[in-house]
Amino acid sequence: MKITYLFSLLICLNITSKQKAIEPTLENISWISGTWHGEAFGSITEEIWSEPSGGSMLATFKLINEGKVKFYEIEIIREIENSLILQLKHFGPDLKGGETKDKTVVFPLKEITENKVVFEGITFEKISDSEMNVHVDINEKSKVETVIFNYKKAIQNSKPIKQLIEVYHTTTGPVLDGKADEEIWKKSEWHKLDQRWLGNPYSEKDFSGKYKLAWTEDALYLLAEIQDDKLVDFYEDPLTTWWDDDCLEIFIDEDNSGGEHQFNHNAFAYHIALDGNIVDMSTKKEGKLYNSHVQSKIKTEGNTTIWEVKVSLYDDSYDDDDKNYPVKLHTNKNVGFALAYCDNDSSKNRENFIGSVYVEGDDKNRGWIDANIFGTLILKSSKN
Protein backbone atom coordinates (compact mmCIF):
# COMPACT_ATOMS: atom_id res chain seq x y z
CA MET A 1 0.00 0.00 0.00
CA LYS A 2 1.46 3.35 -0.93
CA ILE A 3 1.65 5.63 2.09
CA THR A 4 1.00 8.49 -0.34
CA TYR A 5 -2.65 7.57 -0.31
CA LEU A 6 -2.88 6.00 3.13
CA PHE A 7 -3.74 9.38 4.56
CA SER A 8 -6.85 11.21 4.10
CA LEU A 9 -8.52 13.29 6.31
CA LEU A 10 -12.13 13.48 6.09
CA ILE A 11 -13.03 11.98 2.88
CA CYS A 12 -15.83 10.49 1.01
CA LEU A 13 -16.00 9.69 -2.66
CA ASN A 14 -19.37 9.98 -4.30
CA ILE A 15 -18.97 10.10 -8.04
CA THR A 16 -22.56 10.90 -8.89
CA SER A 17 -23.40 14.34 -7.55
CA LYS A 18 -26.75 15.99 -8.09
CA GLN A 19 -25.78 19.11 -6.17
CA LYS A 20 -25.14 22.32 -8.01
CA ALA A 21 -21.49 23.22 -8.54
CA ILE A 22 -20.29 26.31 -6.69
CA GLU A 23 -17.29 28.63 -6.95
CA PRO A 24 -14.00 26.95 -5.91
CA THR A 25 -13.03 29.23 -3.02
CA LEU A 26 -11.74 28.53 0.48
CA GLU A 27 -14.76 30.31 1.91
CA ASN A 28 -17.02 27.67 0.34
CA ILE A 29 -15.14 24.80 2.04
CA SER A 30 -14.59 26.44 5.43
CA TRP A 31 -16.82 23.74 6.95
CA ILE A 32 -13.74 21.48 6.81
CA SER A 33 -12.07 23.55 9.55
CA GLY A 34 -11.95 22.17 13.09
CA THR A 35 -10.55 19.25 15.05
CA TRP A 36 -11.68 15.88 13.70
CA HIS A 37 -11.29 12.37 15.09
CA GLY A 38 -11.85 8.99 13.49
CA GLU A 39 -10.39 5.57 12.73
CA ALA A 40 -8.47 4.02 9.85
CA PHE A 41 -6.74 0.67 9.42
CA GLY A 42 -7.41 -0.27 13.04
CA SER A 43 -5.79 2.95 14.27
CA ILE A 44 -6.91 6.30 15.69
CA THR A 45 -6.72 9.38 13.47
CA GLU A 46 -6.65 13.06 14.38
CA GLU A 47 -6.89 15.90 11.88
CA ILE A 48 -6.91 19.61 12.71
CA TRP A 49 -7.80 22.13 9.97
CA SER A 50 -7.42 25.88 10.33
CA GLU A 51 -9.90 28.48 9.16
CA PRO A 52 -9.10 30.02 5.74
CA SER A 53 -6.49 32.80 5.92
CA GLY A 54 -3.81 34.13 3.63
CA GLY A 55 -5.23 32.22 0.67
CA SER A 56 -4.90 28.76 2.27
CA MET A 57 -6.11 26.31 4.91
CA LEU A 58 -3.51 24.39 6.93
CA ALA A 59 -3.89 20.98 8.60
CA THR A 60 -1.90 18.59 10.71
CA PHE A 61 -2.68 14.88 10.75
CA LYS A 62 -1.48 11.93 12.79
CA LEU A 63 -2.25 8.22 12.87
CA ILE A 64 -1.95 6.46 16.24
CA ASN A 65 -1.72 2.71 16.74
CA GLU A 66 -1.46 1.07 20.18
CA GLY A 67 -0.73 4.43 21.79
CA LYS A 68 2.12 5.36 19.41
CA VAL A 69 2.20 7.72 16.42
CA LYS A 70 2.89 5.87 13.17
CA PHE A 71 3.20 8.93 10.95
CA TYR A 72 2.28 12.61 10.59
CA GLU A 73 1.19 14.79 7.70
CA ILE A 74 1.16 18.49 6.98
CA GLU A 75 -1.48 19.52 4.46
CA ILE A 76 -2.66 22.65 2.77
CA ILE A 77 -5.56 23.55 0.54
CA ARG A 78 -4.83 26.73 -1.39
CA GLU A 79 -6.43 28.84 -4.05
CA ILE A 80 -4.56 28.83 -7.35
CA GLU A 81 -5.62 29.96 -10.82
CA ASN A 82 -9.35 30.18 -9.96
CA SER A 83 -9.32 26.68 -8.47
CA LEU A 84 -8.21 24.78 -5.39
CA ILE A 85 -5.37 22.36 -4.87
CA LEU A 86 -4.59 19.99 -1.99
CA GLN A 87 -0.94 19.35 -1.17
CA LEU A 88 0.61 17.28 1.59
CA LYS A 89 3.88 15.90 2.92
CA HIS A 90 4.38 12.81 5.11
CA PHE A 91 6.65 12.55 8.14
CA GLY A 92 7.67 9.61 10.27
CA PRO A 93 7.16 9.54 14.05
CA ASP A 94 10.61 11.19 14.39
CA LEU A 95 9.58 13.94 11.91
CA LYS A 96 11.88 12.64 9.17
CA GLY A 97 10.33 13.45 5.80
CA GLY A 98 8.54 10.80 3.78
CA GLU A 99 9.10 12.62 0.47
CA THR A 100 12.24 14.27 -0.83
CA LYS A 101 13.00 17.82 0.24
CA ASP A 102 11.10 19.72 -2.46
CA LYS A 103 8.44 17.15 -3.29
CA THR A 104 4.79 17.21 -2.18
CA VAL A 105 1.86 14.96 -3.01
CA VAL A 106 -0.60 16.97 -5.11
CA PHE A 107 -4.36 16.43 -5.53
CA PRO A 108 -6.01 18.70 -8.15
CA LEU A 109 -9.63 19.76 -7.70
CA LYS A 110 -12.27 17.96 -9.74
CA GLU A 111 -15.58 19.17 -8.33
CA ILE A 112 -17.02 21.34 -5.58
CA THR A 113 -20.61 21.58 -4.33
CA GLU A 114 -22.20 22.94 -1.18
CA ASN A 115 -21.46 19.81 0.87
CA LYS A 116 -18.63 18.19 -1.03
CA VAL A 117 -15.19 18.95 -2.39
CA VAL A 118 -13.68 16.33 -4.70
CA PHE A 119 -9.95 16.17 -5.36
CA GLU A 120 -8.30 13.49 -7.48
CA GLY A 121 -8.23 10.54 -5.06
CA ILE A 122 -9.55 12.38 -2.00
CA THR A 123 -13.05 13.73 -1.37
CA PHE A 124 -14.42 15.61 1.64
CA GLU A 125 -18.18 15.23 2.13
CA LYS A 126 -20.15 17.03 4.81
CA ILE A 127 -22.72 14.85 6.60
CA SER A 128 -23.55 17.39 9.32
CA ASP A 129 -21.85 20.22 11.17
CA SER A 130 -20.07 17.62 13.31
CA GLU A 131 -19.54 14.71 10.91
CA MET A 132 -17.79 13.89 7.65
CA ASN A 133 -17.69 10.63 5.77
CA VAL A 134 -14.48 9.82 4.03
CA HIS A 135 -13.53 7.68 1.10
CA VAL A 136 -9.96 7.64 -0.10
CA ASP A 137 -8.40 5.95 -3.11
CA ILE A 138 -5.49 3.65 -2.28
CA ASN A 139 -3.16 2.32 -4.96
CA GLU A 140 -1.84 -1.17 -4.33
CA LYS A 141 -0.28 -3.39 -6.99
CA SER A 142 -1.78 -1.25 -9.77
CA LYS A 143 -5.24 -1.72 -8.30
CA VAL A 144 -7.25 1.17 -6.82
CA GLU A 145 -9.31 0.45 -3.73
CA THR A 146 -11.61 2.98 -2.10
CA VAL A 147 -11.52 2.94 1.70
CA ILE A 148 -14.31 4.49 3.77
CA PHE A 149 -13.59 6.59 6.86
CA ASN A 150 -15.82 8.44 9.30
CA TYR A 151 -14.75 11.58 11.16
CA LYS A 152 -16.46 13.58 13.87
CA LYS A 153 -15.69 16.79 15.68
CA ALA A 154 -16.96 18.31 18.89
CA ILE A 155 -19.27 21.29 18.45
CA GLN A 156 -19.17 24.02 21.03
CA ASN A 157 -22.53 24.48 22.70
CA SER A 158 -24.21 26.73 25.18
CA LYS A 159 -24.58 24.11 27.90
CA PRO A 160 -23.57 25.70 31.23
CA ILE A 161 -20.51 24.22 32.93
CA LYS A 162 -21.77 22.79 36.21
CA GLN A 163 -18.77 20.69 37.15
CA LEU A 164 -15.52 19.99 35.31
CA ILE A 165 -13.67 16.69 35.91
CA GLU A 166 -10.52 15.44 34.20
CA VAL A 167 -10.67 11.70 33.47
CA TYR A 168 -7.47 9.82 32.62
CA HIS A 169 -6.86 7.19 29.97
CA THR A 170 -5.84 3.62 30.71
CA THR A 171 -4.59 1.25 28.02
CA THR A 172 -6.32 -1.74 29.61
CA GLY A 173 -9.69 -1.36 31.28
CA PRO A 174 -10.07 -2.39 34.93
CA VAL A 175 -11.34 -5.91 35.64
CA LEU A 176 -14.92 -5.72 36.89
CA ASP A 177 -14.55 -7.73 40.10
CA GLY A 178 -15.35 -5.26 42.89
CA LYS A 179 -11.73 -5.31 44.12
CA ALA A 180 -10.57 -2.05 42.50
CA ASP A 181 -6.91 -2.98 42.80
CA GLU A 182 -5.78 -1.74 39.36
CA GLU A 183 -3.14 0.97 39.07
CA ILE A 184 -5.53 3.40 37.34
CA TRP A 185 -7.81 3.36 40.39
CA LYS A 186 -4.85 4.01 42.70
CA LYS A 187 -3.95 7.09 40.64
CA SER A 188 -7.48 8.43 40.13
CA GLU A 189 -9.06 11.08 42.33
CA TRP A 190 -12.16 10.52 44.45
CA HIS A 191 -15.18 12.72 43.76
CA LYS A 192 -18.06 13.23 46.16
CA LEU A 193 -21.60 11.96 45.80
CA ASP A 194 -23.21 14.36 48.25
CA GLN A 195 -25.92 16.51 46.63
CA ARG A 196 -29.43 15.79 47.98
CA TRP A 197 -31.79 15.86 44.99
CA LEU A 198 -34.79 14.27 46.75
CA GLY A 199 -35.82 13.43 50.29
CA ASN A 200 -35.18 14.65 53.80
CA PRO A 201 -31.74 15.28 55.26
CA TYR A 202 -29.84 12.05 56.00
CA SER A 203 -26.90 11.10 58.20
CA GLU A 204 -23.56 9.67 57.07
CA LYS A 205 -24.53 6.48 58.88
CA ASP A 206 -27.52 6.19 56.55
CA PHE A 207 -25.60 7.07 53.37
CA SER A 208 -22.32 8.39 52.01
CA GLY A 209 -20.78 7.96 48.57
CA LYS A 210 -17.81 8.77 46.38
CA TYR A 211 -16.57 7.73 42.93
CA LYS A 212 -13.64 7.60 40.49
CA LEU A 213 -13.49 7.55 36.69
CA ALA A 214 -11.20 6.26 33.92
CA TRP A 215 -11.51 5.62 30.17
CA THR A 216 -10.29 3.52 27.28
CA GLU A 217 -11.05 3.98 23.58
CA ASP A 218 -14.00 1.61 24.03
CA ALA A 219 -15.66 2.71 27.26
CA LEU A 220 -15.93 4.90 30.33
CA TYR A 221 -15.15 3.16 33.63
CA LEU A 222 -16.64 4.03 37.01
CA LEU A 223 -15.66 2.98 40.52
CA ALA A 224 -18.18 3.92 43.22
CA GLU A 225 -17.92 3.30 46.95
CA ILE A 226 -21.32 3.50 48.64
CA GLN A 227 -21.92 3.39 52.39
CA ASP A 228 -25.55 2.34 52.81
CA ASP A 229 -26.87 0.77 56.01
CA LYS A 230 -29.61 -1.15 54.21
CA LEU A 231 -29.85 -2.45 50.62
CA VAL A 232 -33.37 -2.82 49.25
CA ASP A 233 -34.54 -4.66 46.13
CA PHE A 234 -38.32 -4.98 46.46
CA TYR A 235 -39.24 -5.44 42.82
CA GLU A 236 -38.19 -8.64 41.08
CA ASP A 237 -39.32 -7.32 37.67
CA PRO A 238 -36.55 -4.90 36.59
CA LEU A 239 -39.07 -2.75 34.68
CA THR A 240 -41.36 -2.16 37.67
CA THR A 241 -40.71 1.22 39.35
CA TRP A 242 -36.98 0.57 39.04
CA TRP A 243 -36.14 3.95 40.56
CA ASP A 244 -37.59 2.97 43.95
CA ASP A 245 -35.10 0.17 44.65
CA ASP A 246 -31.55 0.91 45.77
CA CYS A 247 -29.63 1.52 42.56
CA LEU A 248 -26.80 3.48 41.05
CA GLU A 249 -27.78 5.84 38.23
CA ILE A 250 -25.33 7.02 35.58
CA PHE A 251 -26.25 9.96 33.36
CA ILE A 252 -24.36 10.13 30.04
CA ASP A 253 -24.50 12.78 27.32
CA GLU A 254 -22.01 11.51 24.72
CA ASP A 255 -21.38 14.86 22.99
CA ASN A 256 -21.97 17.07 26.06
CA SER A 257 -24.61 19.01 24.12
CA GLY A 258 -27.12 19.27 26.97
CA GLY A 259 -30.82 19.68 26.34
CA GLU A 260 -33.96 17.61 26.85
CA HIS A 261 -33.74 13.79 26.74
CA GLN A 262 -36.87 12.53 28.49
CA PHE A 263 -38.07 10.16 25.76
CA ASN A 264 -35.19 10.38 23.30
CA HIS A 265 -31.51 9.43 23.25
CA ASN A 266 -29.97 12.87 23.26
CA ALA A 267 -28.63 11.50 26.57
CA PHE A 268 -29.05 8.36 28.69
CA ALA A 269 -29.98 7.79 32.34
CA TYR A 270 -28.86 4.26 33.18
CA HIS A 271 -30.32 2.79 36.38
CA ILE A 272 -28.04 -0.05 37.55
CA ALA A 273 -29.99 -2.41 39.78
CA LEU A 274 -28.47 -4.55 42.53
CA ASP A 275 -28.95 -7.59 40.28
CA GLY A 276 -27.09 -5.91 37.38
CA ASN A 277 -30.05 -5.04 35.15
CA ILE A 278 -29.78 -1.70 33.33
CA VAL A 279 -32.94 0.35 32.71
CA ASP A 280 -33.68 3.66 31.00
CA MET A 281 -36.68 5.23 29.30
CA SER A 282 -37.08 4.29 25.64
CA THR A 283 -38.46 6.41 22.82
CA LYS A 284 -41.75 4.54 23.37
CA LYS A 285 -42.07 6.30 26.75
CA GLU A 286 -41.57 3.12 28.77
CA GLY A 287 -38.76 1.41 30.61
CA LYS A 288 -36.40 -0.70 28.54
CA LEU A 289 -33.40 -2.91 29.38
CA TYR A 290 -30.07 -1.63 28.05
CA ASN A 291 -27.93 -4.43 29.47
CA SER A 292 -25.60 -4.38 26.46
CA HIS A 293 -24.64 -0.75 27.19
CA VAL A 294 -23.41 -1.23 30.75
CA GLN A 295 -21.56 -3.99 32.55
CA SER A 296 -21.26 -3.93 36.33
CA LYS A 297 -20.01 -5.87 39.33
CA ILE A 298 -20.85 -5.09 42.94
CA LYS A 299 -19.24 -6.41 46.08
CA THR A 300 -20.67 -5.74 49.54
CA GLU A 301 -18.91 -6.08 52.88
CA GLY A 302 -20.84 -4.82 55.89
CA ASN A 303 -22.35 -1.45 54.98
CA THR A 304 -19.89 -0.82 52.14
CA THR A 305 -20.68 -1.68 48.52
CA ILE A 306 -18.11 -1.33 45.75
CA TRP A 307 -19.51 -0.84 42.25
CA GLU A 308 -17.23 -1.32 39.24
CA VAL A 309 -18.91 -0.32 35.99
CA LYS A 310 -18.06 -0.23 32.28
CA VAL A 311 -20.21 2.07 30.13
CA SER A 312 -20.23 2.06 26.32
CA LEU A 313 -21.19 5.46 24.92
CA TYR A 314 -23.74 5.96 22.14
CA ASP A 315 -24.48 9.18 20.28
CA ASP A 316 -27.86 10.80 19.73
CA SER A 317 -28.49 8.85 16.51
CA TYR A 318 -29.22 5.77 18.65
CA ASP A 319 -32.31 3.92 17.41
CA ASP A 320 -34.14 1.50 19.72
CA ASP A 321 -35.32 -0.48 16.71
CA ASP A 322 -32.05 -0.73 14.79
CA LYS A 323 -28.49 -1.99 15.19
CA ASN A 324 -26.25 0.56 16.90
CA TYR A 325 -22.53 0.89 17.52
CA PRO A 326 -20.80 2.63 20.45
CA VAL A 327 -18.56 5.61 19.72
CA LYS A 328 -14.80 5.48 20.12
CA LEU A 329 -13.45 7.77 22.83
CA HIS A 330 -10.43 10.02 22.35
CA THR A 331 -8.26 12.51 24.18
CA ASN A 332 -9.85 15.94 24.83
CA LYS A 333 -13.37 14.66 24.17
CA ASN A 334 -16.03 16.25 26.40
CA VAL A 335 -18.77 14.05 27.84
CA GLY A 336 -21.80 15.14 29.84
CA PHE A 337 -21.93 13.17 33.09
CA ALA A 338 -23.63 12.93 36.44
CA LEU A 339 -23.93 10.15 39.00
CA ALA A 340 -26.70 9.52 41.52
CA TYR A 341 -27.83 6.93 44.04
CA CYS A 342 -31.41 5.94 44.84
CA ASP A 343 -31.54 5.11 48.55
CA ASN A 344 -34.45 3.13 49.94
CA ASP A 345 -34.32 1.86 53.51
CA SER A 346 -37.73 0.40 54.29
CA SER A 347 -40.58 1.68 52.10
CA LYS A 348 -42.14 1.09 48.68
CA ASN A 349 -40.64 4.37 47.49
CA ARG A 350 -37.07 5.63 47.68
CA GLU A 351 -36.42 7.93 50.61
CA ASN A 352 -33.49 9.80 49.07
CA PHE A 353 -31.92 10.55 45.73
CA ILE A 354 -28.33 11.78 46.06
CA GLY A 355 -26.41 13.22 43.10
CA SER A 356 -22.92 14.31 42.17
CA VAL A 357 -23.79 17.76 40.78
CA TYR A 358 -25.39 20.76 42.46
CA VAL A 359 -28.73 21.58 40.82
CA GLU A 360 -30.27 25.02 41.21
CA GLY A 361 -33.92 25.61 42.12
CA ASP A 362 -36.48 23.60 44.07
CA ASP A 363 -36.89 20.84 41.49
CA LYS A 364 -33.54 19.05 41.61
CA ASN A 365 -34.76 15.72 40.22
CA ARG A 366 -34.33 16.81 36.60
CA GLY A 367 -31.45 14.65 35.42
CA TRP A 368 -33.73 12.10 33.75
CA ILE A 369 -35.19 14.90 31.60
CA ASP A 370 -32.62 17.71 31.34
CA ALA A 371 -28.99 17.01 30.34
CA ASN A 372 -28.11 20.65 31.07
CA ILE A 373 -27.77 19.75 34.75
CA PHE A 374 -24.97 17.24 34.01
CA GLY A 375 -21.35 17.98 34.74
CA THR A 376 -18.63 17.78 32.08
CA LEU A 377 -15.88 15.18 31.80
CA ILE A 378 -12.70 16.01 29.85
CA LEU A 379 -10.91 12.88 28.65
CA LYS A 380 -7.17 13.25 29.18
CA SER A 381 -4.15 11.15 28.27
CA SER A 382 -2.63 8.71 30.78
CA LYS A 383 -1.77 10.08 34.19
CA ASN A 384 1.90 9.69 35.13
Side-chain angles (χ1 to χ4, degrees), residues 295-313:
Q295 301 174 42
S296 66
K297 175 68 176 181
I298 69 171
K299 185 177 181 180
T300 301
E301 293 184 3
N303 291 344
T304 302
T305 300
I306 300 296
W307 302 67
E308 277 193 294
V309 184
K310 176 183 178 182
V311 185
S312 299
L313 272 61

Side-chain angles (χ1 to χ4, degrees), residues 202-235:
Y202 56 88
S203 67
E204 286 193 7
K205 181 180 178 181
D206 180 24
F207 171 85
S208 66
K210 56 184 180 179
Y211 65 97
K212 294 182 176 185
L213 295 161
W215 69 279
T216 65
E217 282 72 20
D218 296 325
L220 182 71
Y221 287 84
L222 167 76
L223 171 67
E225 182 179 301
I226 304 297
Q227 304 282 339
D228 187 0
D229 59 345
K230 188 174 183 180
L231 297 179
V232 171
D233 189 4
F234 282 134
Y235 302 100

